[in-house]
Amino acid sequence: YLMTYTSTVIPAIISVYMYSLLEKQLKKFIPKNIEIFALSLAALLIMVPLTVIVIGPIGVFLGDGIGSLINFASARSGLLAGAILGAGWTFLVMTGVHWGIVPIMLNNIALYGEDPIRPMVAAATFASAGVALGVFMRSKNKDTKALAISSMMPALLGGITEPIVYGLSVKFKRPLIAQTIAGGIAGAFIGAMGTTASVYVFPAITTFPAFAGPTFIYYLIGITGAFIGSAILTYILGFKE
C-alpha cells in the first residue's frame, strides 16, 4: 500500500511494539558473542518488510475506516457525527488517523460543493482555544500564562492547536477533559443544524468566509459555545501546575 507515513504515529507505535516482541525471541537463538551486531541485523531484515507490507497499511486502513464511519454517521445523524468529531477530533489528530477523514471532506466539496464535516471539526478547534483562555485565567504561574496566551492566537487566527494540546491539555490533563466535553456538545449542535463549508480550510476566525451561507449563524453559535464553554470548564475543573 503506497503512501507516506509522515502524518501518523500508529504504524510507528505498532512497529516498535512488534520489534520488542521479536527481539526477545531472537535473543533465544543468537549467540551472545555476535549479538551486538547480529541481533540488530536480523531484526532489521524482518521488521522492515513487515512494517511496509503489514503494519504500515494497518494505520492507513484504520484511518480510512474511521473516515467511512464518520461519513456514514454524518449522513444518518448530524448530531451524532458532530458529537463524535467535536469530542474526538483532538485524539484523532494526536494519533494521525484524522487524515483518513480529510479525503472525504475534499470529495464532498468536489461532488456537492459543500461539506458538513469541516464545521463539526471546528468545534474541537475552538474548544482547544478555549482551554488556553481558561488556563490563562486560572493559572498563577507567569510562564504558564505566557504560553496560554501565545498559543491561543495561532488557534484562533490559523486553526493551529498543537501548542495548546501538547503544551496545556495533555500536560495538565483536566483541560483535555474540558475541551472534549465542550467540543462534543458544540459539535453536536453544529451537526444537528446541518452547517456546511464550501472550501477546505483550517477552522479559524480568518477563514469565516469558507463557512458563509444560510447556516453560518449556527456555525458562529457553535464555535462561540465551544470556546466559551471550554474556557469555563477549564477554569472550574482547575489543574495542578
Side-chain angles (χ1 to χ4, degrees), residues 7-8 14 38 67 74 78-79 81 161 171 192 200 206 211:
S7 299
T8 179
I14 299 176
S74 176
L79 187 146
T161 60
K171 180 180 180 180
Y200 179 85
T206 53
F211 302 91

Side-chain angles (χ1 to χ4, degrees), residues 19-32 35-36 38-40 42-43:
Y19 170 78
S20 70
L21 301 178
L22 174 65
E23 185 181 62
K24 294 178 182 178
Q25 298 303 315
L26 290 176
K27 284 183 177 180
K28 297 179 181 179
F29 302 100
I30 298 176
K32 281 287 184 180
E35 184 181 284
I36 192 170
L39 178 62
S40 298

Side-chain angles (χ1 to χ4, degrees), residues 189-219:
F189 172 80
I190 290 174
M193 295 296 103
T195 307
T196 60
S198 58
V199 182
Y200 179 85
V201 294
F202 279 19
I205 294 176
T206 53
T207 58
F208 275 176
F211 302 91
T215 59
F216 182 60
I217 183 63
Y218 303 122
Y219 176 75

Side-chain angles (χ1 to χ4, degrees), residues 40-119:
S40 298
L41 177 60
L44 190 69
L45 292 174
I46 295 172
M47 286 305 303
V48 169
L50 183 65
T51 300
V52 173
I53 298 171
V54 179
I55 298 175
I58 287 177
V60 180
F61 296 143
L62 180 59
D64 291 345
I66 292 177
S68 298
L69 179 64
I70 293 297
N71 203 38
F72 176 81
S74 176
R76 298 298 185 278
S77 172
L79 187 146
L80 176 61
I84 294 173
L85 281 175
W89 185 255
T90 298
F91 301 98
L92 297 180
V93 171
M94 289 168 62
T95 56
V97 297
H98 67 295
W99 289 110
I101 303 176
V102 171
I104 295 177
M105 301 182 196
L106 297 173
N107 187 63
N108 286 338
I109 293 174
L111 291 179
Y112 312 114
E114 59 183 17
D115 169 56
I117 298 177
R118 203 58 183 166

